[in-house]
Amino acid sequence: MGRLFAVAAAAALLAGSASAADPVKVKIDAGVLAGSSEDGVNSFKGIPFAKPPVGELRWKPPVAPAAWSGERDATKFQPPCPQPINADGRPNGGGVSGETSENCLYLNVWAPANAKKAPVIVWLYGGAGYLGGAHLGSYNGTSFAKNGVVVVTTNYRLGALGYFAHPALTKAAAPDEPLVNYAMMDAVEALKWVQRNIDQFGGDPENVTVMGQSAGGFMVVGLLSIPSAKGLFHKAVVQSGAGLRPGRTLAEGEADGVKAATALGLPGAEATLEQLRALPPEAFVSKQETRAGIRGVVDGKFVTTTTLDALNAGQAHDVPLLVGSNNGEGGADGARKLVQLAAKGAPAYQYYFTYVPAWRTAAQPNGAPHSAELPYVFASLDTASTGGGSQVTEADRAVAKNVNSCWVAFVKSSPSDKAFTCGNGFKVTAYDPAADDVSVFADAFSVRKGAEIPNGPPARAAAPAATAAAPAGAN
């Protein structure tokens, strides 16, 4: 599955109480939230965007949450979705330790105090499709909020609870009911929540950027061709997840589901929906055969085509893209392909992240590995548990400030722009076949030709352990 280096979070981030901050309240469609405000940033944590996907709602499209009366405490994160957890308390490959729960469809918001019509980021975390959580310290939205951007980090169902097909589910489904791609349905539901509510936090529902890394990046790629996602976002960022894959059929998904049911001790194709839903979530995450789930499918209802086919047909959602990878992992070729296809419409930008702090050069001899960019994109070196702690230098903070400024500039840019400026005057230009420019983010920013960028570290070097397994998803 690959260890994701920059996403481990301290358990206290999930279990701890709110800091000594001022209370702040906001009214959304489901009720009043009581969050906290500190140093010019309002934060609201553990907000339900769908009903708990348990019981009869397991393997069902998400349902809008019930309204509540009074004030709902929004100062603590809610648990991430079920996933393999290390018994000794160490974070797993997605950075998660401690409690998980099938009741996990919650999101978190960081917003500038007194924001009005601020651009919005909706973040989809990585973790190979079966690990990770929206609460991790690498994804702290404070720096973005201080720079005028509202950040929403959202959970989504993982593994076999997020992607699952079986003849029993197909038989029980209504004629128009979407199947299999439940994690992607969660992402769309979170985007719908943003459209309904983000103006109450000072965000602009007409300027939403969906952004993801690794498996989350694959999800962003998938959203570019999902019909129900059209109009819910206006820009997209894909970090180390620019996968364009052929689709799978429902029959292929069902065949995998039958194998999974057999591995779980059920009678394969004859297993009933009641038997499948009676299994505890631990049954799925504890078995190698089922923990990673089943890849999504083209079900003809929710997912009607792959993004690869949609791009080739000129039918993908035409929004500006920022796509890239790190020099210590594979992925530059995939980013280049996505940018080249997408650039036939709205502007598409390619980046290449290469910064390795001095205190990590021995551990990262092949360059910046998978996930290494995260504490720099979020400028979260102080909250990411692999951010370096006391080893962090002023040079590291300067790089984080500059990289974060580029993401801020992108989300604030106009869809008609062909360039944006960030990082002390550095100009990031959209892909043009004649120029073939790629923005390189290191201690000093520079421009390289895309054709010159290698697809990973030198062949003579061992591939870094951080390269993640291909995440689940239809695209």
Side-chain angles (χ1 to χ4, degrees):
M1 67 184 167
R3 195 168 79 87
L4 307 183
F5 279 95
V7 295
L13 283 173
L14 181 59
S17 59
S19 61
D22 295 326
V24 61
K25 299 175 185 178
V26 65
K27 189 179 188 306
I28 61 172
D29 58 353
V32 176
L33 296 168
S36 59
S37 183
E38 186 173 12
D39 198 17
V41 175
N42 297 341
S43 64
F44 299 85
K45 301 166 184 172
I47 307 169
F49 68 91
K51 287 184 176 179
V54 301
E56 293 186 356
L57 292 183
R58 179 188 285 181
W59 301 310
K60 282 283 190 179
V63 177
W68 58 83
S69 59
E71 297 176 359
R72 180 185 178 92
D73 178 32
T75 61
K76 302 179 182 68
F77 294 113
Q78 293 295 319
C81 296
Q83 57 195 280
I85 296 295
N86 292 318
D88 61 4
R90 291 178 300 112
N92 63 19
V96 171
S97 60
E99 180 186 2
T100 68
S101 174
E102 194 171 3
N103 175 9
C104 61
L105 296 186
Y106 297 88
L107 52 76
N108 316 295
V109 178
W110 287 263
N114 303 315
K116 294 181 180 179
K117 292 290 183 180
V120 180
I121 287 173
V122 177
W123 172 252
L124 301 172
Y125 53 81
Y130 68 102
L131 302 168
H135 66 288
L136 300 182
S138 290
Y139 315 145
N140 186 295
T142 298
S143 292
F144 273 117
K146 287 184 176 181
N147 285 308
V149 178
V150 176
V151 172
V152 178
T153 67
T154 183
N155 283 343
Y156 56 86
R157 282 172 278 186
L158 297 169
L161 300 175
Y163 297 93
F164 192 71
H166 190 275
L169 273 73
T170 305
K171 181 179 179 180
D176 60 346
E177 183 178 326
L179 295 164
V180 185
N181 308 289
Y182 305 105
M184 294 297 294
M185 297 178 207
D186 294 342
V188 171
E189 190 67 19
L191 287 166
K192 290 179 177 178
W193 182 95
V194 167
Q195 287 298 309
R196 297 195 309 269
N197 293 295
I198 207 63
D199 59 336
Q200 300 301 311
F201 300 86
D204 183 0
E206 297 300 317
N207 187 5
V208 175
T209 298
V210 63
M211 176 168 134
Q213 183 263 348
S214 192
F218 274 72
M219 294 175 74
V220 172
V221 172
L223 289 167
L224 292 173
S225 60
I226 290 176
S228 58
K230 186 175 183 179
L232 300 181
F233 62 95
H234 312 92
K235 302 184 187 76
V237 179
V238 179
Q239 298 172 210
S240 304
L244 292 168
R245 301 191 297 190
R248 301 174 72 242
T249 66
L250 178 59
E252 289 174 316
E254 287 182 346
D256 288 341
V258 168
K259 293 177 183 177
T262 301
L264 291 165
L266 298 179
E270 303 304 315
T272 67
L273 185 53
E274 291 74 20
Q275 287 174 318
L276 288 163
R277 285 184 173 151
L279 291 171
E282 293 76 21
F284 295 94
V285 302
S286 63
K287 281 191 172 292
Q288 188 68 39
E289 299 91 339
T290 58
R291 61 173 54 183
I294 292 171
R295 278 180 49 208
V297 306
V298 178
D299 69 330
K301 299 165 186 175
F302 180 76
V303 177
T304 57
T305 186
T306 67
T307 296
L308 175 60
D309 289 342
L311 284 167
N312 283 325
Q315 297 174 346
H317 306 325
D318 191 21
V319 299
L321 295 180
L322 175 62
V323 185
S325 60
N326 303 341
N327 68 331
E329 63 177 356
D333 287 354
R336 180 175 169 83
K337 180 178 181 180
L338 176 56
V339 164
Q340 288 175 331
L341 288 172
K344 298 172 184 178
Y349 305 83
Q350 185 178 353
Y351 75 85
Y352 195 53
F353 181 87
T354 68
Y355 184 71
V356 176
W359 46 272
R360 299 214 71 172
T361 53
Q364 299 177 357
N366 294 331
H370 196 62
S371 305
E373 86 285 3
L374 289 171
Y376 296 90
V377 167
F378 281 82
S380 57
L381 289 166
D382 291 328
T383 54
S385 66
T386 53
S390 61
Q391 300 178 92
V392 172
T393 67
E394 289 306 309
D396 301 333
R397 295 189 186 280
V399 172
K401 179 180 179 180
N402 287 337
V403 171
N404 177 259
S405 77
C406 292
W407 267 245
V408 169
F410 174 71
V411 303
K412 289 184 176 181
S413 66
S414 167
S416 62
D417 291 343
K418 300 294 184 181
F420 57 87
T421 302
C422 60
N424 295 322
F426 180 75
K427 187 176 182 179
V428 179
T429 56
Y431 175 78
D432 181 308
D436 193 23
D437 287 344
V438 174
S439 296
V440 180
F441 298 138
D443 50 350
F445 292 179
S446 62
V447 176
R448 290 181 64 180
K449 301 303 177 184
E452 301 172 356
I453 292 178
N455 189 44
R460 65 179 180 275
T467 300
N475 299 282

